[in-house]
Amino acid sequence: MSENQAPVRLAVIGAGAMGKNHIRFVTEEPEAELVAIVDAFEGARATAEAAGVPFFTDPAAMMDEVKPDGVIIATPNDLHLGVAREAVRRGIVPLVEKPISNDLEDAEGFAAEAEAAGVPVLVGQHRRHNPFVNKAKQIIESGELGKLTVSSFHYMIYKNDEYFDVEWRRKKGAGPILVNLVHDVDLLRYLLGEPVAVQGMQSSVTRGFETEDSAVVNVRFADGSLASMTISDATASPWNWEATAREDPQYRPFDADAYFIGGTLGALSLPRLHQVSYDGASSWHKPLQMNVPAVDPALPHKMQLKHFVKVVRREAEPVVTPADNVKTLRTLNAIKQAAETGELVEL
């Protein structure tokens, strides 16, 4: 920030667990200033008082009175776009938490509206800002792995039984595919390319709820490479991004990997970035060697906020736009359809 450049004035809308995370990083960022907190729950007023900023229950009223430069929208999913539209109408730049909507058509409509309005919108796919993810993308795009062949992505975790005391979490549509997989699908697209077809199966036999607790998915990409995704919130294992990436202290860390990416010249695991290859031509009779590229670690949410400040100032284009997130939602919906029907779904 130059001497003549004022901090970007940001408001956080939604003061739940994710909102509190954003509030923390805004208050720690020297190029940003927290100017308001909004939440429908009156009990969140204490959060605003502790932060020393005004509290509102109505996002539009806050925008009209405070006139922030940008807003971070961390409301429940079905409220994301209503608030984002209010911001765009006023020329206020929003960061909208993922997914931008539970409704694909509504998300597509908003993407077009935001583009027509000329207001940049950043979608909160924070893993895109992880230095290890971006190093992996650099390795893949460099050709060091050769032609991609097969990859496997894993989200295998155990949600405690108390999590399901909330009724909606036991109902159809609240399973790990639609609730949790949006980040993994986003990185699948980001690292491997656009899927062209998916097939899958799901099961609810472990808990017996309306929604799935486990699923397996196969993915085909335009270049002919393949991937699988193994999904479960009823499996006691470390093979998930939460446990392995150390992005969030509420998840206990474990030295393991969640993603495995394979090619004709080598393979790569994430998030530990274990890169393996042969010395010279590939051959199963030769020993493999492992390299761990050096990467400076950084908290993705913190890096996302720094990027958002630049987006608000019009110094950078959003890393993840609504149009990009629509592609993730379309793939996610196809995965859900394939898992429910057992059919091959083409995108």
Side-chain angles (χ1 to χ4, degrees):
M1 183 171 62
S2 69
E3 292 182 4
N4 299 323
Q5 200 167 27
V8 169
R9 302 173 67 254
L10 300 178
V12 175
I13 302 173
M18 182 57 69
K20 286 185 173 69
N21 203 32
H22 285 296
I23 291 166
R24 168 198 164 191
F25 287 113
V26 172
T27 56
E28 292 177 355
E29 174 53 53
E31 297 200 25
E33 177 188 1
L34 182 67
V35 295
I37 291 174
V38 183
D39 198 283
F41 176 53
E42 268 288 342
R45 185 181 295 274
T47 302
E49 290 174 351
V53 298
F55 175 76
F56 296 81
T57 57
D58 185 325
M62 181 278 295
M63 293 181 216
D64 289 337
E65 183 174 331
V66 177
K67 295 180 171 55
D69 302 315
V71 292
I72 298 174
I73 301 169
T75 60
N77 292 357
D78 58 347
L79 301 178
H80 283 175
L81 289 192
V83 179
R85 285 186 167 102
E86 294 289 348
V88 168
R89 284 191 200 105
R90 293 164 172 81
I92 297 171
V93 179
L95 187 166
V96 188
E97 268 300 340
K98 54 70 196 165
I100 55 173
S101 176
N102 293 328
D103 185 305
L104 181 59
E105 288 186 7
D106 196 26
E108 291 172 333
F110 174 73
E113 292 164 23
E115 185 174 352
V119 177
V121 179
L122 176 64
V123 181
Q125 299 280 178
H126 70 275
R127 293 182 191 174
R128 293 268 196 116
H129 303 269
N130 188 311
F132 292 87
V133 169
N134 286 303
K135 183 63 176 179
K137 185 171 179 64
Q138 179 185 330
I139 291 169
I140 292 167
E141 291 185 342
S142 74
E144 291 178 43
L145 302 186
K147 175 178 170 50
L148 294 184
T149 52
V150 292
S151 302
S152 60
F153 279 42
H154 301 273
Y155 177 80
M156 299 164 62
I157 202 167
Y158 194 92
K159 292 178 180 173
N160 53 296
D161 295 342
E162 293 79 12
Y163 174 88
F164 297 97
D165 289 344
V166 181
E167 185 179 9
W168 71 265
R169 291 173 174 167
R170 304 191 298 270
K171 298 297 184 180
K172 185 176 180 179
I177 293 177
L178 295 181
V179 171
N180 303 108
L181 208 62
V182 63
H183 278 304
D184 302 276
V185 171
D186 181 71
L187 288 191
L188 183 89
R189 290 183 48 246
Y190 183 57
L191 295 172
L192 306 183
E194 296 298 337
V196 296
V198 297
Q199 59 182 183
M201 292 185 289
Q202 68 179 33
S203 172
S204 58
V205 68
T206 304
R207 293 196 176 98
F209 297 152
E210 289 180 16
T211 192
E212 83 281 352
D213 51 55
S214 303
V216 290
V217 176
N218 295 322
V219 183
R220 185 172 72 239
F221 298 90
D223 65 358
S225 62
L226 305 172
S228 65
M229 304 188 82
T230 307
I231 308 141
S232 177
D233 64 9
T235 300
S237 98
W239 302 307
N240 57 79
W241 194 262
E242 282 78 359
T244 58
R246 291 172 166 79
E247 291 180 351
D248 190 331
Q250 71 174 307
Y251 301 104
R252 307 301 293 184
F254 198 95
D255 282 332
D257 285 304
Y259 302 163
F260 302 86
I261 299 166
T264 54
L265 299 180
L268 182 68
S269 67
L270 273 169
R272 291 188 295 178
L273 275 184
H274 287 181
Q275 184 177 357
V276 296
S277 62
Y278 296 104
D279 183 9
S282 297
S283 169
W284 65 350
H285 297 295
K286 296 167 62 175
L288 283 163
Q289 55 191 13
M290 186 174 75
N291 175 48
V292 183
V295 174
D296 289 329
L299 287 175
H301 277 106
K302 184 174 184 176
M303 302 309 294
Q304 177 180 256
L305 180 62
K306 288 181 178 294
H307 173 65
F308 183 52
V309 166
K310 292 181 178 180
V311 171
V312 173
R313 289 177 172 158
R314 309 306 202 272
E315 296 173 355
E317 293 296 319
V319 165
V320 186
T321 64
D324 188 288
N325 197 234
V326 162
K327 294 178 182 179
T328 294
L329 295 180
R330 190 176 293 123
T331 302
L332 195 64
N333 285 355
I335 287 172
K336 183 59 177 170
Q337 180 184 344
E340 287 183 339
T341 65
E343 298 174 353
L344 178 73
V345 178
E346 296 187 354
L347 290 104

